[in-house]
Amino acid sequence: MKTPELIIFDLDGTLLDTLASIAGAFNAALSSSGYPTHPVEAFRQFIGNGAAVAAQRCLPSDRQSAADIKHCIEQFQQHYEQLWVTASPYQDILNLLTSLPPELKLAVLSNKDDHFTQRCVEHFFPATFDYILGHRPDIPHKPNPLGGNKLMAALGTSRSSTWLIGDTATDMNTAAACKVAGVGVLWGFRDKDELVSSGAEAIVDTPMQILDLFG
């Protein structure tokens, strides 16, 4: 892989351990409607493709109409307003970010709603990223390449000098759609087999191993 001018990071499962906070908000939403809740670990497979998909995955099979999903999302958002701050950066993520070359441009591209993406990044990583982008009406969920393309255009970097780092097949598929190098991480929500089968060009076990990928 070519030494990058831009690294695009996924947020949930890559920079931040948000599993318990997201699970807590969805389980509170389910409970408020009288639906069964799920173990926190189950949300490793539920989340990663946006709130609507996560809501559908955790709702009972006979309660997945558009209205049911919309109500679940609304309830989730109310609870997540209180819980997002309970997340935490993964071990050594802060060390990684301060150890990267100072001239390197950094961005975040998340399927989390932009409102929460901006708040999480600004709270946990203040004055660190050059561009932060979550899901908005004009920015489709990954793996659609529009968000990644927007970041590269805004920051003036080429596809050949951009890496996208994430923990799921969605992230690796986004890298492929954007025609950039995809780097998979193993401390997040999914496993090595998923990352390999979705075309990761490199896979790292720990954040500091990302530095070893630089030529």
Side-chain angles (χ1 to χ4, degrees):
M1 299 189 307
K2 180 180 177 181
T3 299
E5 297 176 5
L6 166 65
I7 294 181
I8 301 172
F9 286 91
D10 170 54
L11 181 59
D12 300 308
T14 301
L15 294 172
L16 283 182
D17 184 355
T18 55
L19 186 65
S21 59
I22 293 174
F26 268 118
N27 277 334
L30 294 169
S31 182
S32 69
S33 295
Y35 301 147
T37 58
H38 302 277
V40 171
E41 287 298 303
F43 285 86
R44 291 184 183 276
Q45 299 298 322
F46 292 167
I47 60 183
N49 298 94
V53 173
Q56 183 177 17
R57 287 171 175 166
C58 68
L59 281 165
S61 58
D62 60 344
R63 292 290 186 271
Q64 295 185 1
S65 70
D68 290 326
I69 291 171
K70 180 175 183 291
H71 180 71
C72 183
I73 292 172
E74 290 170 350
Q75 293 296 307
F76 162 78
Q77 291 174 337
Q78 290 181 20
H79 293 290
Y80 197 57
E81 283 283 354
Q82 311 304 317
L83 292 175
W84 68 266
V85 75
T86 65
S88 60
Y90 284 102
Q91 183 177 359
D92 279 338
I93 281 292
L94 294 173
N95 287 339
L96 168 67
L97 294 173
T98 57
S99 300
L100 290 168
E103 69 275 10
L104 185 66
K105 295 178 181 178
L106 302 176
V108 172
L109 179 62
S110 178
N111 274 347
K112 186 191 292 291
D113 286 351
D114 190 65
H115 164 68
F116 287 121
T117 299
Q118 299 289 339
R119 292 175 71 182
C120 284
V121 176
E122 290 167 3
H123 176 79
F124 291 105
F125 311 105
T128 299
F129 289 92
D130 299 290
Y131 209 120
I132 305 162
L133 190 59
H135 171 63
R136 308 187 315 216
D138 61 322
I139 302 294
H141 288 112
K142 297 178 289 186
N144 186 294
L146 197 153
N149 291 341
K150 180 178 178 68
L151 291 175
M152 288 183 282
L155 295 173
T157 57
S158 66
R159 299 180 191 278
S160 63
S161 62
T162 299
W163 295 357
L164 193 154
I165 298 179
D167 66 310
T168 69
T170 298
D171 297 309
M172 298 305 100
N173 292 335
T174 305
C178 291
K179 298 180 175 60
V180 304
V183 178
V185 306
L186 296 182
W187 57 83
F189 298 158
R190 305 290 174 80
D191 60 22
K192 184 174 183 177
D193 288 344
E194 176 172 319
L195 295 168
V196 170
S197 64
S198 56
E201 294 188 35
I203 294 177
V204 293
D205 294 294
T206 67
M208 298 304 283
Q209 285 182 0
I210 290 171
L211 298 177
D212 297 335
L213 301 178
F214 283 74

